[in-house]
């Protein structure tokens, strides 16, 4: 069954009526095709009107939608002959971070991503997309491997943030994230990162410090989650909608502030309504960004990448 968000309830009611009428027709009842058509038109118009005026908090809900395509879905559709690589060669294999070798439209690449999981078992296995230090050390290892073998890097980011547990801090969470960011900046190969859902804090930046950073239309990217920010600023997580508005975490805001390089439109109603079209659109935009980068040498790529992020600090956010 399709999962509907709180603000989608009127749409859910209409689509429920359509489904009931369809079952009546299938059961050999009266012909209600005209009525179904009218309801479908009404539902589509309501869907378009709703998604044309989403608030930042509603966009955060869409970015977290359980049916939204996850990292492994993009890898499965866009990367041929994917060969996963595991472990950080120091402690363990963190399955929140996935990565490996493959071919993207004929080009050999190294792929990285953060996987949230799609059902209870896989969400537990992937720790709900919250990497531990060994996940970031694995990312660093793969980034450095890509540089050694001159393989372009692609990353798919979808995380509420790095795992905040005591054991993660004991194993050097902050240092692991910093080293992963450093590896991103030092990589002598083209690097395209895509925020496909949530981009939370340093946990996202650790694998998104790239030559080109793309965002899906209804994804979010922020220094902290709206709930976390509300708990700190107002000591009340219920203020999350206010925090989402203040943080300017939507793709539209971040593109306007020159903090990301491009926004990829989603199908009407969000990526979860047409995963195949979303994945194709992401693949096309990645290809258009990657192609000109392939012509640049490693020194130029590193210099431009560092300058890009330093300029963000010089300019500031207004």
């Amino acid at each position: 069954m399709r999962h509907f968000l709180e603000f989608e309830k009127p749409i859910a009611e209409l689509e429920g009526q359509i489904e009931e009428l369809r079952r009546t027709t299938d059961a050999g009842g009266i012909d209600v095709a005209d009525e179904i058509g009218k309801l479908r038109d009404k539902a589509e118009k309501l869907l378009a009107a709703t998604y044309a005026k989403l608030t930042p908090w509603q966009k955060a809900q869409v970015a977290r939608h359980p049916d939204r395509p996850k990292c492994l879905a993009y890898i499965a559709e866009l990367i041929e002959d994917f060969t996963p690589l595991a472990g950080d060669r120091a402690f363990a294999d963190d399955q929140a971070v996935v990565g490996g070798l493959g071919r993207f439209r004929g080009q050999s690449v190294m792929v990285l991503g953060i996987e949230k999981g799609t059902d209870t078992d896989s969400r537990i296995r992937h720790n709900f997309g919250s990497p531990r230090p060994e996940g970031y050390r694995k990312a660093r290892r793969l980034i450095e491997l890509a540089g050694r073998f001159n393989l372009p890097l692609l990353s798919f980011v979808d995380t509420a943030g790095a795992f905040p547990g005591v054991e993660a801090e004991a194993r050097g969470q902050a240092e692991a994230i910093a080293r992963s960011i450093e590896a991103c900046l030092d990589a002598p190969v083209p690097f395209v990162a895509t925020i496909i859902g949530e981009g939370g804090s340093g946990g996202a930046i650790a694998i998104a410090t790239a030559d080109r950073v793309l965002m899906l239309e209804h994804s979010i990217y922020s220094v902290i989650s709206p709930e976390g920010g509300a708990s700190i600023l107002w000591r009340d997580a219920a203020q999350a909608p206010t925090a989402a508005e203040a943080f300017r975490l939507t793709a539209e805001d971040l593109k306007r502030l020159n903090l990301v390089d491009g926004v990829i439109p989603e199908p009407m109603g969000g990526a979860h309504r047409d995963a195949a079209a979303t994945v194709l659109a992401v693949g096309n935009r990645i290809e258009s960004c990657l192609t000109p980068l392939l012509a640049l040498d490693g020194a130029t790529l590193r210099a431009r990448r560092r300058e890009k992020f330093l300029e963000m600090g010089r300019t500031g956010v207004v």
Side-chain angles (χ1 to χ4, degrees):
M1 293 180 62
R2 177 174 289 166
H3 177 91
F4 288 92
L5 300 169
E6 183 68 25
F7 67 85
E8 293 180 313
K9 280 188 175 180
I11 301 167
E13 292 174 2
L14 284 173
E15 293 194 0
Q17 293 175 29
I18 292 170
E19 185 58 32
E20 288 180 10
L21 287 173
R22 188 175 288 117
R23 283 199 296 267
T24 299
T25 301
D26 292 343
I30 59 175
D31 184 5
V32 290
D34 289 344
E35 187 63 25
I36 289 175
K38 291 176 183 177
L39 285 174
R40 186 180 293 113
D41 288 343
K42 186 176 180 180
E44 289 176 355
K45 289 178 181 178
L46 182 58
L47 182 68
T50 300
Y51 272 77
K53 56 180 181 180
L54 291 181
T55 67
W57 175 237
Q58 289 171 336
K59 280 184 175 281
Q61 293 175 275
V62 177
R64 298 167 174 171
H65 197 289
D67 297 333
R68 195 174 179 85
K70 305 298 190 294
C71 171
L72 288 175
Y74 287 90
I75 291 175
E77 292 299 320
L78 297 177
I79 308 301
E80 297 177 357
D81 299 326
F82 177 65
T83 302
L85 300 175
D88 67 343
R89 300 298 186 266
F91 183 78
D93 179 41
D94 183 357
Q95 295 192 46
V97 175
V98 297
L101 302 165
R103 288 198 303 274
F104 170 70
R105 299 186 176 179
Q107 170 68 52
S108 295
V109 295
M110 180 70 78
V111 186
L112 276 173
I114 300 175
E115 173 65 27
K116 281 187 172 180
T118 55
D119 55 28
T120 301
D121 288 341
S122 65
R123 286 170 187 146
I124 292 171
R125 184 168 65 254
H126 295 290
N127 200 34
F128 298 87
S130 291
R132 297 176 171 88
E134 49 270 24
Y136 293 112
R137 293 186 175 115
K138 174 167 69 173
R140 177 188 175 192
R141 181 173 75 84
L142 298 187
I143 292 167
E144 291 174 348
L145 189 65
R148 196 174 308 144
F149 291 97
N150 196 32
L151 296 171
L153 278 159
L154 305 180
S155 71
F156 299 96
V157 181
D158 188 13
T159 179
F163 184 63
V166 173
E167 67 272 26
E169 295 299 327
R171 294 200 296 273
Q173 184 73 288
E175 184 268 349
I177 290 173
R179 292 291 186 183
S180 184
I181 294 172
E182 179 185 42
C184 290
L185 289 170
D186 285 342
V189 293
F191 189 178
V192 179
T194 308
I195 314 298
I196 58 175
E198 286 188 273
S201 191
I205 297 171
I207 65 167
T209 312
D211 299 301
R212 297 290 181 271
V213 180
L214 308 173
M215 287 184 71
L216 277 170
E217 179 183 3
H218 300 310
S219 61
I220 60 173
Y221 196 15
S222 176
V223 69
I224 193 172
S225 69
E227 297 91 336
S231 296
I232 293 171
L233 296 173
W234 293 283
R235 300 193 182 281
D236 182 6
Q239 293 291 327
T242 304
E245 186 76 36
F247 290 172
R248 289 184 279 186
L249 45 64
T250 68
E252 181 183 9
D253 285 335
L254 293 165
K255 181 66 176 69
R256 180 174 52 81
L257 294 168
N258 293 319
L259 297 177
V260 299
D261 301 294
V263 177
I264 305 170
E266 296 185 25
M268 180 56 62
H272 55 281
R273 283 185 171 259
D274 194 341
T278 302
V279 173
L280 179 61
V282 168
N284 290 340
R285 183 62 70 87
I286 290 174
E287 184 177 22
S288 68
C289 290
L290 183 61
T291 300
L293 294 173
L294 292 171
L296 303 177
D297 62 78
T300 301
L301 288 166
R302 282 197 299 263
R304 288 188 177 185
R305 194 180 305 136
R306 284 175 173 271
E307 184 59 28
K308 169 186 173 180
F309 287 95
L310 285 170
E311 185 61 26
M312 291 179 188
R314 296 190 193 104
T315 304
V317 176
V318 293

